[in-house]
Amino acid sequence: MKSVMVFDSKDSQQETERKWLQWFEDTRPHKSAVGDKAVMTAEETRAYMRKYDVG
């Protein structure tokens, strides 16, 4: 998912902050594609590498 944020140089500081907050709220559920998958921790990765003699 790609997200685009448009700023206008004529926007006030409050309008710019409102846009940032809106963008954050709109993209929050999609922060990371990795978040939906099981990812090994560093220790689990080391154990896996020791077990399979990798590296």
Side-chain angles (χ1 to χ4, degrees), residues 29-53:
H30 310 288
K31 278 180 163 177
S32 171
V34 176
D36 296 320
K37 300 176 182 170
V39 177
M40 291 191 292
T41 64
E43 185 53 44
E44 290 169 329
T45 301
R46 285 187 211 95
Y48 177 88
M49 292 176 74
R50 282 192 298 270
K51 179 178 178 180
Y52 293 102
D53 196 29

Side-chain angles (χ1 to χ4, degrees), residues 2-46:
K2 291 186 179 182
S3 179
V4 175
M5 196 167 163
V6 178
F7 289 100
D8 187 337
S9 60
K10 297 174 190 162
D11 284 348
S12 66
Q13 182 66 30
Q14 290 85 6
E15 182 64 12
T16 300
E17 290 172 8
R18 185 196 64 76
K19 286 182 179 182
W20 271 113
L21 290 172
Q22 184 64 48
W23 174 82
F24 177 74
E25 289 299 321
D26 289 347
T27 59
R28 191 174 188 176
H30 310 288
K31 278 180 163 177
S32 171
V34 176
D36 296 320
K37 300 176 182 170
V39 177
M40 291 191 292
T41 64
E43 185 53 44
E44 290 169 329
T45 301
R46 285 187 211 95

